[in-house]
Amino acid sequence: MSDTGVLTSLGAVNPLDPGQRLLVVGGGYTGQRFAERLRQLGADVVVTHRRAPAAAGELPFDSSTGLLPSASELQGISHLLVTAPPDRQGQDPCLSSLKPLLDGLPLQWTGYLSTTGVYGNQRGEWVDESTPPAADLLPRSQARLQCEQAWLNSGWPVQVFRLPGIYGPRRNNLLALQRGDARHVHKPGQVFCRVHVDDIVGALLHCLRLPATQRPSILNVCDNRPAPSSELLGYSAHLLGCPLPELQWFEAVEGNMSPMALSFWRDNRRVSNRKLTQALGYALTYPSYREGLQACLKAEAPD
Ligand SMILES: NC(=O)c1ccc[n+]([C@@H]2O[C@H](COP(=O)([O-])OP(=O)(O)OC[C@H]3O[C@@H](n4cnc5c(N)ncnc54)[C@H](OP(=O)(O)O)[C@@H]3O)[C@@H](O)[C@H]2O)c1
């Protein structure tokens, strides 16, 4: 299926009513994909970037420099999706800088993209939305949890979407294998969870189409199959028909890893998507990395 075909399969109804307008704070990987799909459905969407606006529908916003959109540019915003992560001080860029401008708006829905890192290390056990965070959260996960709380306490109708590793077109390990910089590291018992970017888009649209009273305040958005990263790399090499890089045991290479890379290997958990797929009835387009990587391969194939 082509990239456009995939987006088209994510439901054909504009979730916004005429006159409603959605602001995406942070037109990065997921924010841009979501905006693209909503625009295809006919919705009025504006997206912020830290660089100067380069096209219609783009607004400037950078909390670190104080670059803000004007009140008139935000006129009529009824829905908000926040994709910007906490800043270096652990504060939410949107709440710390945009809130005075947003306070005047009649927000009917706010989606906040968070991370499943807030569950911390659960030693490979399953977690769902009711699982309390582990006691020894990483500092960045602690900051994220505080940002989630700040949004949930903001007084607006907020949904927090907890995401695992995001992959999709132009962001996947097929590309790393093709570039020759994939690492084949294995730590026995360690799994990672992930989600295809179009299932984030699909889950957001699904929630927007639900009656407001049925939208959960916290929702995991991940696929069905937690798996070791070595398993994914093996499948990617199989799809490409290329050799796997030599296996490296985690224990043998951890001493050469950056603190950031090490922190990802510290947490081990299996994240349940039952609320999304069973209670809310969302059908994943990519139930596992297998379907997702196959689609990435097709989307990236030369015409
Ligand atoms: N990537 C993953 O695997 C993963 C996993 C779990 C959770 N998440 C979280 O999910 C969210 C979306 O992820 P993503 O990968 O789509 O993110 P992304 O591509 O990095 O996009 C983040 C967006 O936030 C904007 N931004 C960052 N800091 C800002 C600031 N101080 N002021 C204004 N705008 C700011 C960026 O602006 P520019 O466009 O100017 O760069 C960018 O548009 C993020 O919060 C991320 O931390 C990501």
Side-chain angles (χ1 to χ4, degrees), residues 58-286:
E58 292 189 357
L59 295 177
F61 172 52
D62 187 342
S63 71
S64 66
T65 59
L67 182 68
L68 295 175
S70 67
S72 65
E73 285 171 319
L74 296 180
Q75 216 166 14
I77 296 295
S78 53
H79 294 66
L80 174 68
L81 178 73
V82 180
T83 81
D87 63 20
R88 285 189 182 169
Q89 291 73 42
Q91 303 297 311
D92 183 82
C94 188
L95 283 175
S96 63
S97 304
L98 268 188
K99 192 166 187 304
L101 280 166
L102 297 175
D103 270 337
L105 299 169
L107 289 181
Q108 294 172 32
W109 177 85
T110 295
Y112 175 68
L113 298 191
S114 179
T115 129
T116 54
V118 297
Y119 295 113
N121 183 14
Q122 302 281 343
R123 293 171 175 74
E125 296 297 320
W126 283 96
V127 297
D128 66 18
E129 291 82 349
S130 67
T131 306
D136 56 343
L137 278 190
L138 294 163
R140 69 164 183 277
S141 303
Q142 192 65 52
R144 185 64 90 150
L145 205 54
Q146 282 162 6
C147 290
E148 283 190 355
Q149 273 312 315
W151 276 106
L152 291 168
N153 295 335
S154 67
W156 288 309
V158 170
Q159 281 196 277
V160 168
F161 296 91
R162 290 181 172 163
L163 312 173
I166 303 169
Y167 75 101
R170 301 175 305 285
R171 196 193 267 188
N172 57 68
N173 57 18
L174 296 164
L175 298 172
L177 275 171
Q178 285 166 325
R179 285 193 307 261
D181 57 18
R183 289 189 75 180
H184 186 196
V185 179
H186 186 69
K187 182 179 178 186
Q190 171 91 34
V191 294
F192 294 98
C193 297
R194 53 197 66 75
V195 65
H196 190 288
V197 65
D198 287 337
D199 272 319
I200 305 176
V201 173
L204 292 170
L205 291 174
H206 190 79
C207 284
L208 274 167
R209 292 187 188 110
L210 291 173
T213 51
Q214 289 176 25
R215 293 175 186 149
S217 55
I218 299 182
L219 189 61
N220 296 334
V221 182
C222 56
D223 75 17
N224 291 336
R225 190 175 171 125
S229 58
S230 52
E231 186 181 313
L232 252 83
L233 201 68
Y235 188 65
S236 301
H238 162 74
L239 285 180
L240 289 171
C242 72
L244 264 176
E246 195 182 331
L247 179 84
Q248 301 174 312
W249 292 99
F250 177 78
E251 268 183 14
V253 294
E254 63 180 318
N256 301 326
M257 283 186 176
S258 68
M260 181 57 109
L262 271 180
S263 71
F264 281 108
W265 285 91
R266 196 203 73 153
D267 286 359
N268 189 11
R269 59 186 165 259
R270 291 174 162 82
V271 181
S272 165
N273 62 17
R274 274 190 181 196
K275 192 186 273 191
L276 174 68
T277 58
Q278 294 184 24
L280 300 184
Y282 175 71
L284 288 161
T285 305
Y286 303 107

Side-chain angles (χ1 to χ4, degrees), residues 24 26-39 47-49 51 58 81 83 170 197 201:
V24 178
Y29 189 67
T30 312
Q32 198 58 41
R33 193 83 173 167
F34 181 63
E36 212 173 290
R37 178 60 188 140
L38 272 175
R39 285 183 181 137
V47 180
T48 74
H49 290 278
R51 56 164 169 70
E58 292 189 357
L81 178 73
T83 81
R170 301 175 305 285
V197 65
V201 173

